[in-house]
Structure formats: structure tokens, C-alpha cells
Amino acid sequence: MIEASGLVKRFGDLVAVDGIDVSVQRGEAFGFLGPNGAGKSSTMRMVGAVSPPSAGVLRLFGMDPATHGPQIRARMGVVPQRDTLDEELTVSENIRIYGRYFGLSRAETRRRATELLQFAQLTERADAKVEPLSGGMKRRLTIARSLVNDPELLLLDEPTTGLDPQARHVLWDRLFRLKRRGVTLVLTTHYMDEAEQLCDRLVVMDGGRIVAEGSPRSLIECYSTREVLELRFAEEDLTGHARAVEGIGERTEVLPDRLLVYVADGDAASSEVHRRGVQPLSSLVRRSTLEDVFLHLTGRTLVD
Amino acid sequence: MSTATDPAVAAREPARALPPRQRWRPAFEFWWVQYLRTWKGSVISRFLMPVMFLVSMGLVLGDLVDERAGGVEGLPYLQYVVPGILAAQAMWVAMGESTYSVYGAIRWNRQYHAMLAAPLTVRDVLLGHLAYVALSVTFGTVVFVGVGALFGSWSSPLVLLAVPFVVLTGMAFSVPCFAFAAQVKDNTDQGFALLFRFVMTPLFLFSGTFFPVSQLPGPLQAVAYATPLWHGVDASRMLATGRPDWAGLGLHGLYLLVVLTLALWWAWRAFHRRLVV
Ligand SMILES: Nc1ncnc2c1ncn2[C@@H]1O[C@H](COP(=O)(O)OP(=O)(O)O)[C@@H](O)[C@H]1O
Ligand SMILES: [Mg+2]
């Protein structure tokens, strides 16, 4: 559905996307994971056929967005990073007018609005204005609206950023349903749990480049250990402690507030730390996540 | 909802990209729906203000002028000034519809971006919105012609022919405002306030609306003749007073069309620059 090679986006002197190769197949849930400024949105806007690539080749449904933009966009749904809802119109009107952009008849847009509001659990708000809705509801409305054309491919740019945990889970549930229905999902996120939950395959982006690619599990296997031992200390400066625990794990990462020791067996490592006489305020054993993969690949955390 | 296996889907009306010639229509429809939702808030500035000018200038001041000077250019002041106000209200409505709403559709609610993520293009977004402004200006003009008739402001039924000239005048202001609103950087409030204060108001006062341009100092006369409003005012006045000079009307129409064409090119470029990044 998406074939991109050597894709570049420049804004003046700034290179936002620096030559990426991506290929997404029908039915996949594909993710771009990366921190703010990594170039995720710039990539999504090119893939959404609204932003012309500065260089590289891009084919969407086998078509060139430079010449077939409308035909391409007719077949996909877009949830942009910032909502583009009309706040003065009602919830239902927002969906209906959007359906008209896709050449649907008024009767058909009414039918679909009813369906989609049910799907987005917004039926009771159908005739309310958009402006006072909560962030989670607006996001659900944007997703509902993006589905008005029965898209084969749905692009979601940070679908849950800024939402509270409960609202995020409601949204994830809706996205799972879409995935089960066979809609191809492409999403960006800087939440590793979101990427792990939703994506079959993902790329890790940093500074406009792809630094790793694979399934969440294979990325963790490839770039991290099974478990992580997190140690917190009373002291500000952790370099001394880092030296003391050296060699216990495959790697040690020093974060501003804690040490991360990468090991296969966290409990064993914890005993070893105590045996060496290191006394952390707290120690915690957890499974490795994509956050650890990112830290390993870039030396930085995803969310700061 | 779409599923490959659901038999109901096969019978569903399919979504599609409209043919290029029709794509502006849903963009127009969006603004129309939005107008239906919000018209109440704009009634005063849209309709009452021009009517207040009609009453205060045409009737009240008119009596005074007629008493002291015996009218202007051989006409009662009411019949002189109201055709001018007709053209000026078109500029007024057009500029009001072409600033904040354009800026907001780019920056605030970002409705243009919603359209562009769907199968519309920059051209459709621009033309659809302009079509709505044209309709809105036409509507305001027709209402004003009706109200003017109630007060006896027209000395000839040819005033009906003035409507297209007046709407054209409005659009000759609308389109450059679209371009300006798309181009303006931050501090829009300032930009638009300057536009209203230093472009719209002086034009309103000095384009032959209230008194003949020939009474302005020479250099200002040249400025007045160069701006679209004077052409609209003069065309409107010729027709409403039943004294059409057909060649002059043709030139006014031509002039307004040239301004409109140049402005469209400017707006199209400004929209591309702002929206295709
Ligand atoms: N329209 C634009 N004009 C100039 N710079 C931009 C524009 N959009 C994005 N950028 C810059 O490109 C880089 C990548 O941004 P973006 O693609 O939004 O990253 P992400 O979505 O991963 O946070 C950032 O440095 C950002 O400031
Ligand atoms: Mg982004």
C-alpha cells in the first residue's frame, strides 16, 4: 500500500526526513516510533499525499501522489496530529460535511454519521457542538470522521498524545476493532506501550532517519536484554554507583534519576548489586520495552 | 463500517474523488453549512450597518444637503449617496468574510487542512470558499437593493443591473484579502486591523461614495480612480440613477475583472505557499 524509498523532506535548510525507506503491506499495523522532532509528522503528511516529498520515490496504492493526490486520498483516512474539526458545527455535521468531500450523497453521509458515532461512542453528543468536548472525545470524533470513506488505509499521527490513560484505552480498543476488520493502520507515537500494543511492525525514527526496524518483540530481542534492573539512589551524581555495578549486566545506562542495568535475570542481578555493597533507595525488576531499545539506539529517552 | 467480508459493503455507495470540475462544491457547501450555524452572530454587521448608513446619510444628511445645496450633481442626496453605499457595503461584507475566516481555516480550526486531507485540492478549497463569499455578497446586495427601494433610493429600475457590478466590486476586495490572510504571519489581529483602518475605511470615505471624487485634491483623485471601489460606486450610481454610459460601464466591468484575475493569481500562489508544505 505504501512504498517509499529515499524519502526526504526539507524545510529550507532543515532536513526533517532524511532519506527513509518504508514499505507497508495491506492489513498491517505499522508504526513510526520516535521522539518529538524525529520527523514522524513530516513523513505522515507525505504519506497522506498532502505534502510533496523533497526527494525520493513515493507510491501509494501504486499511484504517484504528485499526479493522483485526490484519487489516493479518496482511499485513505487521516487523523492528523492536531485536530482539524470545525468547532462551531455539531459532532454529526463534522462527519457529514467531511463525507461530502468524498463525493457521498447527503443521505449516505447521514447514514454513515449515525454508524460512526456509534462506533466512536458519541451518539449522545451527535447534535452537540464540538467546542466543549473533552480531548478524548474530539480525538474519537476525528477518528470517526476519518472513517467516513471506508478507508483501506488509516493514518494516525499521535492518536492518543495528551489523553488520560482511560481515554487512551478506549481509543486503543477502537483501533483494535479496525485492525480486526482488515483496515491497514499506520500510526506514529512516542509512547512505547502504544507501539507495543498496536503495531505488528515498526520503525524507530530519530533525527529524520530510521535507526531500527522490526516487530516490537524482535526489536527488544535484538537491541535489549530480557529484563532490566532499575536502581534509584539518594545521591544526585550516579556515576560512582554506575562504576560499582559495572559488569553485572550486559550494559548499564545512566539516566538523570536512575541507573538501568540490562540483564537476562533481574533478580540475580539485584542480589549481585547487594552483594557488592551498593545500597539503592529502591530497586525494581521489569521486562525490557521499546523505550530501552530506543535508549540503546540513540542514547536518549523517548519522552522527556 | 468496512469489512471485506460484510456483504452489506458491496452495496454501499462508494467514496471517491469527485471530478475536478465539481470538487469545489463540497468546499462551498462546508462554508454554507457553517453560515447556517452562525448567521445570527453576523446580522448586525452584515445588514444593519449598511441600513443605518442608508438612513443616517441618505435620509437625515440628505435633507440637509438638499436644503443647503440643492442636491449633488442634480440629484437629491438620497439618490446620489445610496448607490454609492450599495457598492461600499459589498466591499464591507466581502472584506469581513475574507479575513479572519481564511486565517482561521489555515491556523485555528484548520478546516482547509481537513479538506486537503480529503480528495480536494488547493484550487478547490480556494474556489469553494470564494464561491461562498460571492453568494454572501450577492445576498447582502440584493437585501440592500430591496431596503433601498423601500426608502425610495433608486430613481431607475436599472439598479437591478447594478447588482453584478457591485458583487464584482466586492469580489475585487475579497480575493486580495484571501491572499493577504494566507500570507500574513503572526499578529494577524494587527494586520487585519490595519487593513480595515487604513484600507477599507479611507476607501469607504473617499471613493466617491459620499461626494464626487472630483472634490478631492488631485493626487488623492488618482488613488480613488485606481481602486476598485470607485469603479463599483460609479457603475452602481450610473445604473441606479438611470443615466448609464454603456462604454463607461464596460470599462468599469473590465477594470474590475482585471483586478479580480490578478488577485486570483496572487491568492492561488499564497494558498499554495501556505498550505502545501
Ligand atoms: N512546516 C514546517 N516548517 C518548518 N519546519 C518544520 C515544519 N514542520 C516540521 N518542521 C520541523 O521538522 C522537524 C520534524 O518535525 P515533525 O515531522 O513534526 O516531527 P515529529 O512529528 O516526529 O515530532 C522538526 O524540527 C520541526 O520543527
Ligand atoms: Mg509529530
Side-chain angles (χ1 to χ4, degrees):
Chain A
M1 305 208 106
I2 303 176
E3 295 291 339
S5 65
L7 205 56
V8 173
K9 186 73 202 185
R10 286 189 214 97
F11 297 107
D13 290 338
L14 185 127
V15 183
V17 178
D18 195 3
I20 62 170
D21 303 318
V22 177
S23 150
V24 178
Q25 309 305 316
R26 186 173 293 273
E28 258 191 309
F30 184 89
F32 290 93
L33 178 69
N36 277 331
K40 305 183 298 295
S41 295
S42 305
T43 304
M44 288 295 256
R45 288 168 35 71
M46 289 191 279
V47 170
V50 293
S51 167
S54 310
V57 179
L58 179 61
R59 290 290 175 273
L60 302 159
F61 310 109
M63 291 182 277
D64 181 353
T67 52
H68 290 76
Q71 288 75 14
I72 290 167
R73 295 195 297 272
R75 291 167 64 179
M76 57 192 191
V78 178
V79 175
Q81 180 165 358
R82 273 175 63 200
D83 286 327
T84 56
L85 299 167
D86 188 285
E87 309 228 312
E88 310 208 73
L89 297 188
T90 66
V91 168
S92 160
E93 279 170 332
N94 262 282
I95 296 182
R96 282 184 278 143
I97 190 70
Y98 202 70
R100 299 284 292 155
Y101 301 158
F102 291 87
L104 297 173
S105 68
R106 286 199 187 84
E108 182 66 17
T109 61
R110 264 197 302 280
R111 267 196 295 280
R112 292 193 186 194
T114 311
E115 260 173 40
L116 290 168
L117 289 177
Q118 212 160 9
F119 172 77
Q121 297 173 304
L122 287 167
T123 304
E124 290 92 82
R125 298 298 194 115
D127 298 316
K129 280 203 183 183
V130 167
E131 201 241 302
L133 297 188
S134 72
M137 286 180 177
K138 283 186 189 168
R139 220 53 191 143
R140 279 191 336 253
L141 174 56
T142 300
I143 292 178
R145 189 182 70 169
S146 74
L147 296 171
V148 76
N149 58 329
D150 290 337
E152 297 162 52
L153 168 64
L154 184 60
L155 306 179
L156 302 124
D157 196 356
E158 304 205 6
T160 67
T161 297
L163 301 186
D164 61 58
Q166 205 203 330
R168 290 176 74 197
H169 281 279
V170 174
L171 260 170
W172 286 355
D173 171 65
R174 300 292 114 171
L175 295 179
F176 272 126
R177 288 181 195 211
L178 290 172
K179 193 174 152 185
R180 269 207 304 275
R181 285 179 184 154
V183 178
T184 308
L185 300 179
V186 173
L187 61 101
T188 75
T189 181
H190 58 233
Y191 297 121
M192 42 98 192
D193 51 345
E194 187 159 281
E196 280 178 11
Q197 288 264 343
L198 293 174
C199 300
D200 304 324
R201 203 156 62 84
L202 55 91
V203 292
V204 180
M205 269 188 98
D206 188 41
R209 293 170 189 274
I210 291 177
V211 292
E213 173 170 1
S215 68
R217 180 191 290 267
S218 72
L219 283 170
I220 292 168
E221 276 169 10
C222 194
Y223 294 102
S224 191
T225 52
R226 205 169 67 87
E227 294 189 330
V228 186
L229 175 62
E230 292 202 5
L231 303 172
R232 288 173 195 271
F233 296 90
E235 295 81 1
E236 287 270 312
D237 183 11
L238 300 180
T239 44
H241 294 299
R243 219 169 296 121
V245 302
E246 216 163 82
I248 294 180
E250 282 178 26
R251 269 183 318 118
T252 307
E253 293 280 356
V254 186
L255 298 188
D257 60 338
R258 61 196 195 274
L259 292 183
L260 302 181
V261 185
Y262 288 89
V263 291
D265 181 343
D267 290 327
S270 183
S271 322
E272 174 64 13
V273 166
H274 283 278
R275 207 189 52 75
R276 290 192 187 182
V278 180
Q279 291 185 328
L281 277 183
S282 72
S283 83
L284 165 83
V285 176
R286 61 167 176 81
R287 288 183 45 221
S288 268
T289 66
L290 287 171
E291 179 83 50
D292 301 300
V293 172
F294 188 80
L295 189 63
H296 179 50
L297 288 170
T298 69
R300 289 181 292 116
T301 48
L302 266 171
V303 189
D304 25 40
Chain B
M1 234 6 51
S2 73
T3 73
T5 52
D6 187 343
V9 169
R12 255 165 109 91
E13 183 185 324
R16 66 202 165 107
L18 287 165
R21 282 168 174 278
Q22 294 172 22
R23 281 197 311 243
W24 62 276
R25 289 187 202 163
F28 164 80
E29 188 175 325
F30 164 78
W31 292 104
W32 177 244
V33 169
Q34 214 214 27
Y35 173 71
L36 293 181
R37 275 260 143 216
T38 57
W39 65 273
K40 288 188 196 105
S42 64
V43 164
I44 292 190
S45 62
R46 295 276 310 270
F47 299 114
L48 286 181
M49 287 296 277
V51 170
M52 273 157 53
F53 266 103
L54 192 161
V55 171
S56 66
M57 292 291 165
L59 296 174
V60 181
L61 186 66
D63 277 349
L64 208 67
V65 172
D66 294 344
E67 215 169 90
R68 299 275 173 90
V72 178
E73 293 182 348
L75 290 166
Y77 191 62
L78 178 73
Q79 294 181 3
Y80 176 84
V81 76
V82 179
I85 298 175
L86 178 66
Q89 66 77 36
M91 168 182 80
W92 189 314
V93 171
M95 289 182 79
E97 293 270 23
S98 310
T99 43
Y100 291 99
S101 68
V102 174
Y103 187 83
I106 294 171
R107 302 282 190 106
W108 296 328
N109 270 207
R110 299 158 46 82
Q111 298 98 332
Y112 287 163
H113 297 275
M115 296 173 189
L116 292 171
L120 307 192
T121 62
V122 170
R123 190 194 66 136
D124 308 319
V125 164
L126 176 62
L127 292 184
H129 197 171
L130 283 171
Y132 160 75
V133 174
L135 180 76
S136 169
V137 172
T138 306
F139 189 53
T141 302
V142 168
V143 168
F144 191 90
V145 168
V147 174
L150 291 181
F151 290 96
S153 317
W154 321 120
S155 30
S156 161
L158 281 179
V159 68
L160 291 176
L161 261 188
V163 173
F165 283 94
V166 168
V167 172
L168 198 55
T169 307
M171 296 316 289
F173 284 97
S174 161
V175 183
C177 286
F178 268 63
F180 179 73
Q183 230 167 30
V184 82
K185 295 267 150 43
D186 299 317
N187 298 338
T188 43
D189 288 9
Q190 239 171 344
F192 292 148
L194 292 178
L195 187 67
F196 290 126
R197 205 168 303 153
F198 294 109
V199 177
M200 194 169 86
T201 307
L203 285 182
F204 185 58
L205 294 174
F206 301 119
S207 292
T209 320
F210 299 106
F211 55 86
V213 169
S214 56
Q215 299 194 356
L216 287 171
L220 278 183
Q221 276 185 38
V223 174
Y225 290 138
T227 62
L229 184 56
W230 175 76
H231 295 269
V233 166
D234 200 50
S236 168
R237 186 167 289 140
M238 280 185 196
L239 289 162
T241 55
R243 297 192 273 191
D245 155 12
W246 299 107
L249 275 175
L251 282 178
H252 287 321
L254 193 65
Y255 181 88
L256 292 171
L257 282 173
V258 168
V259 170
L260 195 64
T261 308
L262 291 177
L264 271 172
W265 176 78
W266 179 28
W268 189 82
R269 274 178 51 116
F271 266 49
H272 257 276
R273 229 176 254 159
R274 176 64 77 213
L275 294 169
V276 183
V277 286

